């Protein structure tokens, strides 16, 4: 297998993982609306892990915009997880916008656009 083929396979793997992670991120964001602190806490933990995993996958294929967005989201969620930052409407909106931006980038990559 040559370098170009390896790159294509890695990108295809990344895009598949990104799609799964984006779905999981959106689902867990919706759980933040629940009144149950246990559900919210578990959702924040999963959101953090999903953002972290997606950040690493993006780094592996050189998609720096997704890596950076996930890193920023991870920092915000760490603050919530650690009790340093409140989980408020502004944070929730920012996280949803970040997920949408990641989805936009990965959608363009699936269509063959180069970052």
């Amino acid at each position: 297998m040559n370098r170009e083929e390896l790159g294509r396979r890695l990108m295809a793997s990344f895009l598949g993982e990104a799609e799964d992670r984006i779905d999981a991120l959106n689902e867990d964001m919706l759980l933040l609306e629940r009144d149950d602190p246990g559900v919210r806490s578990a959702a924040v933990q999963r959101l953090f892990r999903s953002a972290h995993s997606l950040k690493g996958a993006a780094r592996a294929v050189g998609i720096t915009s997704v890596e950076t967005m996930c890193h920023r989201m991870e920092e915000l969620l760490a603050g919530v997880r650690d009790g340093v930052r409140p989980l408020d409407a502004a944070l929730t909106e920012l996280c949803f916008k970040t997920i949408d931006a990641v989805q936009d980038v990965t959608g363009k990559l699936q269509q063959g656009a180069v970052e």
Side-chain angles (χ1 to χ4, degrees):
M1 173 181 341
N2 64 31
R3 184 176 227 163
E4 191 173 308
E5 177 62 23
L6 177 60
R8 279 195 297 273
R9 287 183 183 195
L10 287 172
M11 182 59 71
S13 178
F14 165 73
L15 292 172
E17 179 178 352
E19 186 175 336
D20 292 343
R21 296 280 180 198
I22 289 167
D23 288 345
L25 286 164
N26 279 313
E27 288 175 19
D28 282 326
M29 286 299 301
L30 294 174
L31 290 176
L32 296 180
E33 297 174 1
R34 301 263 177 103
D35 287 332
D36 183 335
V39 170
R40 290 171 63 142
S41 177
V44 168
Q45 291 289 345
R46 286 190 306 271
L47 284 162
F48 179 85
R49 283 193 308 272
S50 290
H52 182 77
S53 294
L54 188 53
K55 176 185 77 173
R59 180 182 300 139
V61 293
I63 308 300
T64 56
S65 62
V66 171
E67 178 185 355
T68 300
M69 287 186 280
C70 289
H71 180 72
R72 298 293 180 250
M73 186 172 172
E74 188 180 28
E75 290 176 331
L76 293 171
L77 293 166
V80 172
R81 180 197 63 201
D82 298 342
V84 182
R85 181 179 176 100
L87 180 60
D88 56 16
L91 176 71
T92 300
E93 182 179 347
L94 182 58
C95 286
F96 271 121
K97 286 183 177 183
T98 301
I99 295 165
D100 288 345
V102 168
Q103 189 168 27
D104 184 54
V105 171
T106 58
K108 288 178 181 173
L109 289 167
Q110 286 175 330
Q111 295 172 359
V114 178
E115 180 184 61

